């Protein structure tokens, strides 16, 4: 039998990651597949460049690493948006607004 409240801890952890992402907290690396490390590294390095634009689909692919949110949360935040490319910071602002965490 599972402990009481064990599901809450998982939910709280997810909410904490989404909160940190919305605040622009730095990435907490957990370990990534070796083949994805190069691509992820370039996206993460570009996080520091404020003006570099990426295809929204690429930002979605990396949303857990960039914003600590799931793809479904990303989809909800971008529902109705028609932009094809955005900077990491611009996308973060859309996500924060959608989560109701400020503008």
């Amino acid at each position: 039998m599972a402990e009481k409240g064990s599901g809450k801890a998982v939910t709280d952890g997810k909410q904490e990651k989404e909160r940190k992402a919305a605040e622009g907290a730095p990435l907490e690396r957990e370990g990534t597949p070796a083949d994805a490390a190069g691509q992820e590294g370039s996206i993460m390095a570009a996080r520091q460049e404020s003006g570099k634009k990426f295809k929204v689909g690429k930002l979605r692919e990396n949303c857990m690493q960039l914003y600590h949110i799931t793809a479904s949360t990303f989809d909800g935040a971008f529902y109705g948006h028609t932009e094809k490319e955005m900077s990491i910071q611009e996308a973060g602002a859309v996500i924060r607004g959608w989560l109701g965490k400020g503008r």
Side-chain angles (χ1 to χ4, degrees):
M1 186 171 196
E3 289 184 33
K4 255 187 172 178
S6 62
K8 183 174 179 10
V10 172
T11 302
D12 289 346
K14 181 180 175 185
Q15 289 172 344
E16 178 68 14
K17 283 184 178 181
E18 289 181 357
R19 183 191 60 76
K20 284 182 179 180
E23 293 172 355
L27 171 69
E28 296 173 11
R29 298 188 65 99
E30 293 178 354
T32 57
D35 60 336
Q39 179 183 6
E40 180 182 306
S42 65
I43 292 283
M44 294 312 295
R47 185 176 193 171
Q48 304 304 320
E49 299 176 30
S50 61
K52 187 163 183 175
K53 303 253 182 186
F54 295 91
K55 293 186 184 286
V56 172
K58 187 60 72 177
L59 294 171
R60 182 184 187 275
E61 287 175 20
N62 293 282
C63 65
M64 183 58 75
Q65 292 82 16
L66 291 168
Y67 309 108
H68 304 279
I69 61 170
T70 63
S72 62
T73 300
F74 187 93
D75 292 343
F78 279 86
Y79 180 78
H81 282 263
T82 58
E83 299 89 353
K84 302 280 187 207
E85 293 186 344
M86 297 183 103
S87 71
I88 293 170
Q89 291 76 16
E90 290 170 333
V94 170
I95 293 165
R96 283 189 303 277
W98 187 78
L99 290 172
K101 307 261 177 157
R103 293 189 166 109

